[in-house]
Amino acid sequence: MVDRLQNAFAAVKAEESLKEKTLAAVSRRAGKRRTAPLLWAAACLAVFLGLGGGLFFTPVSAISVDINPSLELSINRFDRVIGVEGYNEYGKKVAQSVSLLFADYSQALDTLLASEGIRDCLERGEALSIFVACDDPKRSGEMLKKVETSAGSGRGVHCQTGNMADSAAAHEAGLSCGKYLAFLELQSLDSSVTPEDVQGLTMREIRQWIAELSGEPVSEQDYETGHGHGKGCRHHHGQDT
Amino acid sequence: MRSEQEAARAIDLYADMVRRLCLIHLKNQADSEDIFQNVFMKYVLSTAAFENEEHEKAWFIRVTLNACRDLLRSFFRTHTVPLEELVDLPAQAPPDTRWVLEAVLSLPEKYRDVLYLHYFEGYTAPEMGKILHKNTNTVYSLLTRAKNLLREKLGGDGNG
């Protein structure tokens, strides 16, 4: 049975024409990246405004990306990005430099992580924190898997989930979710710390501050271990509200 | 964003594998081609850093399976694609190959991935557990059930 199975699977090959078409599409797409999202956004807007914009424009989840730029994507029930909010100056600049509206969230995340502002930070070894806020545990789990796949195994990558209440509380404090959770951790160690104190800091600086206060120094090594394949990701759905 | 050369290298390395994963989940050429292109597009746009080729290969498997599942679950597909579709099997394949592939495709979806990943790609149950985000014991159970079901369909030649 094993030989027959192997022979059967081996008979399936990608057609040369498909490979060529794909390579051509990949090359072509690279050139179109700047205009296509705008056209797509306009088309989506026209369709969904006509077919019940209320449902389409209601966020059911959010993805917060914190490194030095700190920004958040609002996601609707159709997995489309319906809002991009920068939570610091750098985040606002990055949000303006990429077209993410109405894109599928995993594609938007790929684009965001490939953007110059974030790529530079990753290359400098800054800690990347991605937070998925969603009240539906199943959906949240699926989103986390995709987010982990997009974030890959770069050093200092932290992915975690929580609920929309985390997101609301973070917004009230003027922070993105990822930074807000780090702020809460920090505040539990020093009650005098305010959201304004952490707003301009990078995630690495906040982590170092937490490490100093807790007396447990976090070295580079700590950031480099346990990441990739989601091993190092913390999952705490429903906590830290 | 990755370069065209990197895309060409990835297509050379993983095209057949992505095509096979599409085949075991999707039933028509058009869907397979869409997903095939989307997977490589995602690779080009992705900034994921790979530790080695195995890690990169696992990424391709995960992304392809996610893309196939997303398509099968999508609103438009569940509401517009007819149930009767021609299975996209290799046109010139010998009868036995077609028969075996048809038998694999007739199994519930959850068994097809483990059969392919184990018997063709050579992954162990713990490795498949990591790729598929499943418990290792669950993978062992799926593999055993898949093997038994397939043996029944193929007439039980006892080599499995």
Side-chain angles (χ1 to χ4, degrees):
Chain A
M1 187 176 87
V2 177
D3 287 345
R4 291 171 74 192
L5 256 181
Q6 286 176 343
N7 290 338
F9 283 130
V12 180
K13 290 189 184 302
E15 301 80 356
E16 283 306 314
S17 59
L18 178 59
K19 290 194 219 173
E20 283 164 18
K21 216 160 43 177
T22 301
L23 188 57
V26 167
S27 311
R28 217 171 34 237
R29 175 73 184 272
K32 280 187 181 174
R33 272 182 80 205
R34 293 187 194 287
T35 52
L38 286 176
L39 293 174
W40 171 235
C44 279
L45 201 62
V47 170
F48 285 103
L49 278 179
L51 296 177
L55 202 62
F56 186 81
F57 289 107
T58 304
V60 296
S61 56
I63 296 176
S64 161
V65 177
D66 293 279
I67 180 162
N68 186 2
S70 192
L71 39 84
E72 197 167 303
L73 309 178
S74 300
I75 320 286
N76 69 8
R77 70 190 65 243
F78 306 108
D79 293 338
R80 297 280 160 188
V81 176
I82 52 168
V84 184
E85 180 95 19
Y87 279 89
N88 57 12
E89 280 309 309
Y90 209 173
K92 283 174 189 161
K93 276 185 196 163
V94 172
Q96 282 167 2
S97 70
V98 286
S99 301
L100 306 175
L101 272 184
F102 310 120
D104 176 84
Y105 71 82
S106 62
Q107 203 174 355
L109 191 60
D110 286 340
T111 306
L112 192 58
L113 295 178
S115 68
E116 208 180 334
I118 291 186
R119 206 180 52 227
D120 287 350
C121 291
L122 286 170
E123 282 167 5
R124 283 203 303 274
E126 292 288 352
L128 169 67
S129 165
I130 303 184
F131 181 84
V132 175
C134 182
D135 289 338
D136 176 355
K138 193 180 163 204
R139 188 184 184 87
S140 176
E142 284 171 6
M143 288 179 76
L144 183 66
K145 278 183 203 167
K146 289 189 185 177
V147 164
E148 286 173 350
T149 305
S150 291
S153 61
R155 54 195 287 201
V157 178
H158 287 257
C159 307
Q160 53 188 323
T161 60
N163 52 38
M164 290 297 275
D166 292 330
S167 178
H171 296 166
E172 214 163 288
L175 298 171
S176 61
C177 291
K179 206 168 258 190
Y180 179 69
L181 290 184
F183 158 71
L184 290 181
E185 208 175 327
L186 194 55
Q187 205 182 37
S188 69
L189 296 164
D190 179 354
S191 57
S192 68
V193 178
T194 65
E196 289 73 28
D197 293 333
V198 299
Q199 208 157 31
L201 300 183
T202 66
M203 287 307 286
R204 172 180 288 269
E205 287 166 337
I206 300 174
R207 291 273 159 223
Q208 280 169 348
W209 193 357
I210 292 171
E212 279 165 25
L213 289 177
S214 61
E216 291 172 12
V218 176
S219 64
E220 289 291 314
Q221 192 64 30
D222 291 322
Y223 272 114
E224 288 175 28
T225 53
H227 302 296
H229 302 294
K231 283 175 196 163
C233 296
R234 291 183 289 161
H235 306 248
H236 68 204
H237 202 279
Q239 294 170 3
D240 291 330
T241 52
Chain B
M1 184 162 162
R2 295 177 210 271
S3 67
E4 198 177 322
Q5 285 75 20
E6 286 176 286
R9 181 196 62 89
I11 291 173
D12 265 352
L13 275 175
Y14 305 115
D16 290 342
M17 181 185 77
V18 172
R19 184 73 183 81
R20 289 179 191 119
L21 287 169
C22 287
L23 172 88
I24 60 178
H25 285 278
L26 308 173
K27 293 184 175 177
N28 69 52
Q29 181 87 15
D31 285 345
S32 290
E33 286 191 7
D34 280 352
I35 296 299
F36 186 91
Q37 290 196 0
N38 286 346
V39 167
F40 287 100
M41 193 70 75
K42 196 171 169 69
Y43 172 75
V44 168
L45 291 174
S46 166
T47 53
F50 301 112
E51 289 153 12
N52 49 43
E53 214 167 84
E54 273 308 304
H55 185 197
E56 186 178 62
K57 185 178 175 183
W59 183 92
F60 269 97
I61 293 172
R62 265 202 308 272
V63 168
T64 308
L65 294 179
N66 282 342
C68 290
R69 283 179 199 134
D70 282 352
L71 180 80
L72 293 171
R73 270 201 307 250
S74 74
F75 174 87
F76 290 108
R77 182 171 174 93
T78 52
H79 288 74
T80 61
V81 175
L83 289 173
E84 300 78 21
E85 286 176 305
L86 282 178
V87 174
D88 177 26
L89 296 177
Q92 304 302 322
D96 186 59
T97 295
R98 288 187 69 89
W99 186 35
V100 173
L101 286 176
E102 277 168 6
V104 172
L105 295 182
S106 70
L107 298 179
E109 206 179 316
K110 59 186 175 181
Y111 298 129
R112 298 180 216 157
D113 293 335
V114 290
L115 276 178
Y116 172 71
L117 293 176
H118 180 67
Y119 286 113
F120 193 79
E121 297 293 345
Y123 283 107
T124 62
E127 287 168 339
M128 286 191 283
K130 278 183 191 162
I131 292 174
L132 301 172
H133 293 292
K134 286 188 194 302
N135 182 292
T136 304
N137 288 334
T138 309
V139 176
Y140 277 122
S141 306
L142 286 173
L143 198 54
T144 306
R145 269 180 258 147
K147 227 164 23 181
N148 291 340
L149 281 172
L150 193 64
R151 195 177 284 130
E152 277 172 29
K153 287 184 186 286
L154 294 178
D157 59 12
N159 286 333

